[in-house]
Amino acid sequence: MGPNAKGALLALLAFGIFSTHDVIVKTLGASYSPFQIVFFSVLFGFPLVTIMLIRDATPGHLRPVHPWWTLLRTTAALCTGVSAFYAFSTLPLAQVYAIIFAAPLLITILAIPILGEQVRIRRWAAVIVGLCGVLVVLRPGGTTFELGHLAALVAAFGSALASIIVRKIGQDERNVVLLLYPMLANFVVMGALLPLVYQPMPMLHLGGIAAMSILAFIASTLVIAAYKSGEAVVVAPMQYSQILWASVYGALFFDELPDLWTVVGAGIIIASGVYIVLREGGKNNSENTPVLQSRSRFETGTVPRVRMFQRRAIAAEPPRD
């Protein structure tokens, strides 16, 4: 098996596991507030963070080099986690993924003011077409616009903002700083809100949240292995396989079948995202490549995001022929 094929298969497996994680989110969301789910997700994620802290031999402290950018990224991750969990709880899985898939398009737009990226006409056209795909999914005037739709849009924007800030400050900040601050913020903010929404959880549901943390950790590790094995231009589009998992899981567990407009809109969004990935993977790509090197999974700040270590793994790879 060639390295690109291996990378693609690892990525497909990873995003299948991520989709299983989201099925648990949706299941628990029928009974609990997203604030409570996020809080306990962070709580179960801290042991994994502790292991990473022990293994991180990089000298330095935990004070951010860029405190304001770190604060903005932390806020974006916090909003993304709550919004995504709420959207999964209230909307069909496939519809949530279709909207969140707009994040790479938003990354391309945000790269202009934050990274000084120059976006030429073809990528602008892909962004515009992709955003039109979001409108097809939402169908303004043709369907009821619910709070879940707004939450999915907030998750897409927050994920894009968090990813682009990593591209801006990631070379200066320690990986553990980028990983720890969103989790601490979630723990403090969701813990403060928990008394307002708390519902007692049986051991089965607590086990479900523990399983979420383990699944996310395994999937993130597989994403790293995928990028180490295959080229980013091959691995990155595999994230869109989640729409297939969403369709299968939605039909099996939640009696959800994506309607025609969701399928059409998702197809437009995916085609636009893949085009941007291919453009940035070409010979004339920009030095920032905001989509390729920052896309693995939307940032929630609830579990250890191994994506921070993915950047080091990619950077350490020898050039490919």
Side-chain angles (χ1 to χ4, degrees):
M1 181 183 297
N4 280 338
K6 180 180 178 181
L9 288 175
L10 287 171
L12 286 172
L13 177 59
F15 289 114
I17 294 173
F18 273 132
S19 297
T20 307
H21 167 283
D22 296 334
V23 168
I24 300 176
V25 172
K26 185 174 181 64
T27 302
L28 294 176
S31 304
Y32 306 102
S33 164
F35 301 117
Q36 182 169 343
I37 299 173
V38 169
F39 175 80
F40 281 101
S41 297
V42 171
L43 194 62
F44 281 107
F46 271 124
L48 299 177
V49 169
T50 303
I51 294 173
M52 289 186 173
L53 284 169
I54 294 172
R55 295 184 62 186
D56 185 10
T58 306
H61 50 70
L62 295 180
R63 295 190 302 273
V65 177
H66 303 278
W68 293 110
W69 282 114
T70 301
L71 175 62
L72 181 58
R73 178 182 174 275
T74 298
T75 303
L78 188 149
C79 294
T80 299
V82 172
S83 299
F85 280 23
Y86 179 80
F88 280 123
S89 300
T90 59
L91 297 178
L93 286 170
Q95 198 169 99
V96 177
Y97 280 127
I99 297 172
I100 291 180
F101 283 163
L105 309 176
L106 298 174
I107 289 175
T108 301
I109 296 173
L110 291 173
I112 299 172
I114 295 178
L115 298 180
E117 179 85 1
Q118 291 186 353
V119 178
R120 294 190 169 87
I121 186 64
R122 291 183 181 178
R123 271 202 285 168
W124 267 121
V127 168
I128 293 171
V129 170
L131 295 179
C132 288
V134 174
L135 292 177
V136 171
V137 174
L138 295 177
R139 281 166 290 162
T143 186
T144 303
F145 187 82
E146 302 175 4
L147 187 57
H149 295 107
L150 178 60
L153 289 171
V154 170
F157 179 81
S159 175
L161 181 59
S163 292
I164 210 69
I165 291 174
V166 169
R167 292 294 301 145
K168 184 173 182 66
I169 68 174
Q171 299 303 316
D172 300 325
E173 296 287 0
R174 293 181 65 192
N175 290 321
V176 69
V177 169
L178 295 171
L179 176 132
L180 190 59
Y181 274 72
M183 294 191 71
L184 286 175
N186 266 319
F187 183 79
V188 172
V189 174
M190 302 307 152
L193 295 172
L194 188 62
L196 303 177
V197 298
Y198 179 75
Q199 296 289 333
M201 303 183 76
M203 288 301 298
L204 178 63
H205 290 176
L206 286 173
I209 293 183
M212 284 167 50
S213 297
I214 295 171
L215 288 172
F217 184 83
I218 293 173
S220 297
T221 304
L222 287 172
V223 169
I224 293 175
Y227 275 98
K228 289 178 69 176
S229 178
E231 296 177 86
V233 72
V234 174
V235 174
M238 296 302 108
Q239 64 179 301
Y240 297 118
S241 66
Q242 290 175 106
I243 199 75
L244 301 177
W245 286 104
S247 300
V248 173
Y249 281 145
L252 286 177
F253 300 121
F254 307 109
D255 196 25
E256 297 173 354
L257 291 175
D259 59 32
L260 176 62
W261 293 110
T262 298
V263 173
V264 172
I268 295 172
I269 296 167
I270 291 171
S272 301
V274 170
Y275 177 80
I276 291 175
V277 167
L278 293 175
R279 287 287 297 175
E280 291 185 354
K283 295 180 179 179
N284 297 321
N285 62 329
S286 70
E287 63 181 38
N288 293 315
T289 54
V291 174
L292 279 179
Q293 294 188 9
S294 61
R295 295 310 302 153
S296 60
R297 168 74 169 180
F298 52 88
E299 178 72 71
T300 63
T302 58
V303 291
R305 302 306 297 148
V306 192
R307 185 173 64 194
M308 306 310 163
F309 300 92
Q310 172 189 326
R311 294 182 295 108
R312 181 185 301 174
I314 295 173
E317 283 187 76
R320 301 178 188 276
D321 296 329

